[in-house]
Amino acid sequence: KHQIRQCCVNLLLSLNNLRQDLGVSPVSVRLWLEQLERLHFCFRIRPHAGRVARALSREPKLYFHDWSELPDEAKRFENLVACALLRWCHFTQDWGQEPLELRFVRDKEKREVDFLLMQGGAPFLLVETKLKDPAVPPALTRFAGQLGHVPAVVVTARLEAAGSASG
């Protein structure tokens, strides 16, 4: 549990690397992660590959339902936002609305947007998290255009000055 918290949160999850770090079989790692997901300890977000040039399409990102123990403040904030978006996805399903699916976008050049909400199989909203800097990252603008001018937001934990950010 502690090993997973330290090495995998908010990063691309390589089961093979995790297997090597823990010294167990790939089947064991897969079964352990599935069990941890069933116990609502963690969840995985899969990448979106459609309509994004050179997108990564295999390795998911791992997040925890209890983000409070994460030592890194930026990772903790991103994890908090992931949980809030996942709850929104569950809410839409529970209330009979068109289901939302939570994904992320990353290409082979390592440009990334933290979250992509999909509705009916189509991109619905891009969300980027920032601890302090409210500036719009170039990757957010780029992927918003590639995905058909999808609305995009930057969620910032702390602004240095009162007012709104440009962009």
Side-chain angles (χ1 to χ4, degrees):
K1 173 176 148 178
H2 181 69
Q3 180 83 11
I4 292 175
R5 279 192 200 268
Q6 294 302 316
C7 73
C8 300
V9 68
N10 309 10
L11 300 173
L12 293 178
L13 177 63
S14 169
L15 295 182
N16 190 48
N17 289 348
L18 190 55
R19 172 196 68 80
Q20 291 173 343
D21 290 347
L22 297 173
V24 297
S25 75
V27 173
S28 294
V29 171
R30 183 181 51 80
L31 292 173
W32 290 346
L33 279 173
E34 288 172 1
Q35 186 63 27
L36 289 170
E37 287 178 315
R38 281 193 291 275
L39 293 169
H40 296 281
F41 178 75
C42 61
F43 59 97
R44 287 179 269 190
I45 297 178
R46 307 242 175 255
H48 173 71
R51 293 192 338 203
V52 175
R54 300 178 49 79
L56 296 180
S57 61
R58 291 194 58 209
E59 295 178 335
K61 287 171 68 174
L62 185 72
Y63 293 93
F64 296 100
H65 286 283
D66 179 9
W67 62 85
S68 63
E69 293 183 35
L70 295 174
D72 182 87
E73 190 176 9
K75 288 182 178 184
R76 188 169 50 244
F77 179 65
E78 182 180 334
N79 205 129
L80 177 144
V81 173
C83 288
L85 292 172
L86 184 65
R87 280 193 302 274
W88 185 15
C89 293
H90 291 166
F91 175 83
T92 60
Q93 182 178 0
D94 292 346
W95 285 88
Q97 299 173 2
E98 189 168 358
L100 292 173
E101 185 179 355
L102 186 56
R103 300 283 182 130
F104 73 95
V105 184
R106 181 178 170 124
D107 64 16
K108 292 178 182 170
E109 285 75 29
K110 298 185 179 169
R111 292 178 291 231
E112 180 178 314
V113 173
D114 295 326
F115 306 106
L116 169 64
L117 286 164
M118 307 279 292
Q119 188 174 50
F124 175 71
L125 178 67
L126 284 163
V127 179
E128 178 68 19
T129 61
K130 294 289 183 188
L131 194 57
K132 294 180 183 177
D133 182 14
V136 177
L140 187 62
T141 305
R142 176 184 178 80
F143 288 131
Q146 284 186 356
L147 293 169
H149 302 287
V150 174
V153 297
V154 177
V155 180
T156 306
R158 293 188 306 266
L159 290 176
E160 296 297 322
S164 63
S166 63

